[in-house]
Amino acid sequence: MKYLYRLYQLCVALPLGLLATLITALTVIVGCSIGNGHFWGYYPGRWWSRVICWLLFLPVKVEGRENLEHGQSYVFVSNHQGAFDIFLIYGYLGRNFKWMMKRQLRSIPFVGWACEKSHQIFVDKRGPSKIKKTYDDAREILKEGYSVTVFPEGARTFTGHMAHFRKGAFALADELQLPVVPLTINGSFDVLSRQRGFNFVTWHPLCLTIHQPIYPIGTGPQNVDATLRQSYDSVMSALVPEYQGFVENPDQ
């Protein structure tokens, strides 16, 4: 069955997935050029993510959607298990948001341009002025009533376990006095772990857990640290036992 699934990936899922990616990127680019970038920057990507999961027959379970309040802006923070985190959050969170993503992703053909046209936020750490622009862009998105999604580990795990959370997302939430919503991803590492070169997908269920929002208890470093610790504990609490516990990520 494993080899039949791999043959299906090569002959069916891969070409259809690449076609879906190209169509989605072009749709976003054209839509954002002539219309509402917030609409075209979210809904085509949402359906693209679902198509990828459907093509690979990956079952998806979402828990905790009832914890989100309609019309409220959030800073979503998630563990970063693997490439399929993108499809799981984009496709199934059910909230219009912008990604805070590595600037290197801008160079991906078509996809990078689509991200730029749809006002995704590229995290640029090449000096104070670049960092300031990153957070200025995020502030504007949040002030417009949208949400942002951040992987505060800053890099995908090599082991399935969580590493440190960085403070940037929590400092942003503190400044604007917005709630932080922790997200726990399970299964993405099992579907496609972080390795070099081309790798086949392994069939495995995916689960997204949306935790209770964490509202600010004040302002300043004390609130940032408290929100970070509570978010980390919430994300860790819903991980499957196999990936419980801290493991340092050398890529952070």
Side-chain angles (χ1 to χ4, degrees):
M1 184 62 72
K2 179 178 75 172
Y3 295 107
L4 184 61
Y5 187 45
R6 288 185 173 184
L7 181 63
Y8 167 79
Q9 289 179 48
L10 283 175
C11 298
V12 180
L14 179 60
L16 289 180
L18 290 173
L19 179 62
T21 301
L22 178 60
I23 291 172
T24 301
L26 293 174
T27 301
V28 171
I29 292 167
V30 173
C32 290
S33 298
I34 63 176
N36 185 338
H38 294 307
F39 175 89
W40 292 104
Y42 170 65
Y43 287 98
R46 179 185 181 185
W47 286 106
W48 165 71
S49 298
R50 293 190 174 204
V51 164
I52 297 299
C53 291
W54 291 339
L55 278 173
L56 293 165
F57 309 116
L58 300 174
V60 174
K61 180 181 180 182
V62 181
E63 300 173 334
R65 275 211 192 100
E66 67 278 4
N67 293 328
L68 302 181
E69 180 182 342
H70 180 72
Q72 171 68 54
S73 293
Y74 295 109
V75 176
F76 294 101
V77 296
S78 173
N79 60 317
H80 203 0
Q81 280 208 334
F84 274 77
D85 301 347
I86 306 298
F87 305 126
L88 185 56
I89 295 176
Y90 218 167
Y92 297 92
L93 180 59
R95 180 66 57 137
N96 196 333
F97 67 90
K98 302 296 181 186
W99 292 101
M100 293 187 71
M101 59 178 63
K102 292 182 177 181
R103 65 175 177 83
Q104 291 88 342
L105 297 177
R106 185 184 268 134
S107 62
I108 299 176
F110 295 102
V111 173
W113 190 15
C115 290
E116 187 170 355
K117 294 290 287 185
S118 59
H119 311 294
Q120 308 301 327
I121 303 160
F122 293 99
V123 179
D124 195 333
K125 301 176 183 177
R126 296 175 298 173
S129 63
K130 301 286 188 181
I131 295 172
K132 181 178 182 300
K133 185 180 186 309
T134 294
Y135 285 96
D136 286 346
D137 291 344
R139 286 187 199 95
E140 290 306 310
I141 292 297
L142 290 164
K143 287 177 180 177
E144 290 179 26
Y146 295 91
S147 299
V148 298
T149 298
V150 186
F151 296 114
E153 293 169 277
R156 288 172 293 156
T157 177
F158 287 97
T159 64
H161 297 78
M162 286 169 57
H164 295 293
F165 275 6
R166 296 174 175 174
K167 291 186 178 182
F170 306 96
L172 182 65
D174 172 73
E175 179 183 337
L176 298 177
Q177 290 292 281
L178 290 174
V180 173
V181 177
L183 307 173
T184 301
I185 289 173
N186 280 299
S188 179
F189 182 78
D190 301 283
V191 169
L192 189 64
S193 60
R194 186 176 180 181
Q195 301 175 31
R196 292 182 180 273
F198 175 82
N199 295 286
F200 286 98
V201 166
T202 299
W203 186 93
H204 194 282
L206 294 166
C207 181
L208 175 66
T209 302
I210 304 168
H211 296 274
Q212 289 277 356
I214 301 169
Y215 289 87
I217 56 173
T219 58
Q222 185 175 1
N223 178 56
V224 172
D225 291 341
T227 306
L228 186 154
R229 287 195 302 271
Q230 190 174 345
S231 297
Y232 191 92
D233 291 344
S234 294
V235 176
M236 181 72 77
S237 70
L239 279 174
V240 296
E242 182 181 358
Y243 299 124
Q244 287 280 336
F246 168 84
V247 173
E248 186 174 356
N249 187 338
D251 201 27
Q252 277 196 315

